[in-house]
Amino acid sequence: MKPDTNPLSVGGFLFYTEKDAQIARAEEQKIQYLEERIDYSSPERIQYIYEKTIHERMFRSPVGLQYLKQLQEFLLSQPKIDPASVTDIPLYMTFDGELRGRANPARARVKPSQKKDVDMEKLRFAVSAILNVLLVLAIAAMFYISFASEQPNIFNYEQVLTNKYASWEQELTQWEKELREKELQLRNNSSEND
């Protein structure tokens, strides 16, 4: 067996991430620990260890699964062990054909339709244009309401205040005139009475 020179290579397998490689290295240490203590002359003991490692999911990487496969083959070759009692090795992952980091050759040959992308682009553009027109109309309506309103606002506050003060001034002038006329009448009445 050749030595692993790549940091992502463990037990003859090249892993995609450093984390996966670390898991495989830890499993190699577990395998080494088990091999130092295992007694192959007792197939029942091997079957117990095999079942326990499967039950506790001790091995998940290809390195650990390969070791489990070796134990399984050993158990199946023993005349004292019933082959039906040897549990299959469960795989806790899926193999859906997705390759990480590389394009799938079959997917590269079958290219998705460009028409859907073009249709979606046209739809997005149309929706965007409609929303922009509606926003412009809403802003124009707000400006119209602001200009047409008689209430003071940022656009017409000066005119409204000027008109208000002018009307007050006109009322005051009218009151002064009326007061002067009444005053004159009172003076005339008092001078006639004297």
Side-chain angles (χ1 to χ4, degrees):
M1 190 169 189
K2 67 178 188 170
D4 296 332
T5 55
N6 186 332
L8 298 178
S9 179
V10 180
F13 295 97
L14 183 59
F15 292 91
Y16 186 71
T17 66
E18 179 61 36
K19 184 178 178 183
D20 290 342
Q22 288 174 350
I23 290 170
R25 283 189 203 97
E27 289 183 6
E28 271 188 330
Q29 291 174 350
K30 290 177 189 176
I31 292 167
Q32 184 179 0
Y33 177 83
L34 285 174
E35 282 297 310
E36 289 172 358
R37 286 158 181 75
I38 232 169
D39 179 15
Y40 280 97
S41 63
S42 170
E44 293 82 16
R45 183 79 178 137
I46 301 281
Q47 187 172 16
Y48 173 78
I49 292 170
Y50 173 78
E51 297 290 334
K52 187 158 178 78
T53 56
I54 288 176
H55 178 71
E56 293 181 6
R57 294 186 182 183
M58 285 180 62
F59 299 116
R60 300 177 303 182
S61 77
V63 172
L65 295 175
Q66 184 178 25
Y67 179 69
L68 283 176
K69 185 64 178 166
Q70 289 172 358
L71 289 179
Q72 183 187 55
E73 288 172 354
F74 172 80
L75 291 171
L76 292 173
S77 69
Q78 299 302 309
K80 293 182 180 179
I81 302 290
D82 177 23
S85 71
V86 178
T87 306
D88 288 337
I89 301 168
L91 299 177
Y92 302 106
M93 63 189 87
T94 61
F95 299 97
D96 60 2
E98 290 294 320
L99 299 175
R100 292 186 270 175
R102 292 196 181 133
N104 189 338
R107 287 184 187 236
R109 286 190 302 258
V110 179
K111 294 185 179 174
S113 171
Q114 295 291 331
K115 186 174 189 244
K116 287 182 183 178
D117 292 339
V118 171
D119 289 344
M120 285 302 294
E121 187 110 4
K122 286 181 181 178
L123 179 65
R124 284 187 195 138
F125 178 75
V127 169
S128 175
I130 290 170
L131 287 176
N132 285 335
V133 167
L134 289 175
L135 287 173
V136 166
L137 289 175
I139 291 170
M142 289 182 350
F143 276 108
Y144 174 75
I145 291 169
S146 295
F147 280 123
S149 174
E150 293 186 18
Q151 296 295 323
N153 59 44
I154 196 165
F155 300 110
N156 66 357
Y157 75 93
E158 187 176 0
Q159 186 65 37
V160 169
L161 289 177
T162 304
N163 290 344
K164 190 180 271 189
Y165 289 129
S167 70
W168 286 352
E169 186 178 352
Q170 198 173 28
E171 287 175 16
L172 281 175
T173 306
Q174 184 67 30
W175 285 350
E176 278 180 25
K177 185 178 176 186
E178 289 174 9
L179 274 176
R180 283 190 190 133
E181 286 177 3
K182 286 196 181 195
E183 208 176 89
L184 251 155
Q185 273 182 351
L186 280 175
R187 279 190 198 156
N188 285 340
N189 284 342
S190 73
S191 59
E192 286 179 5
N193 286 340
D194 288 335

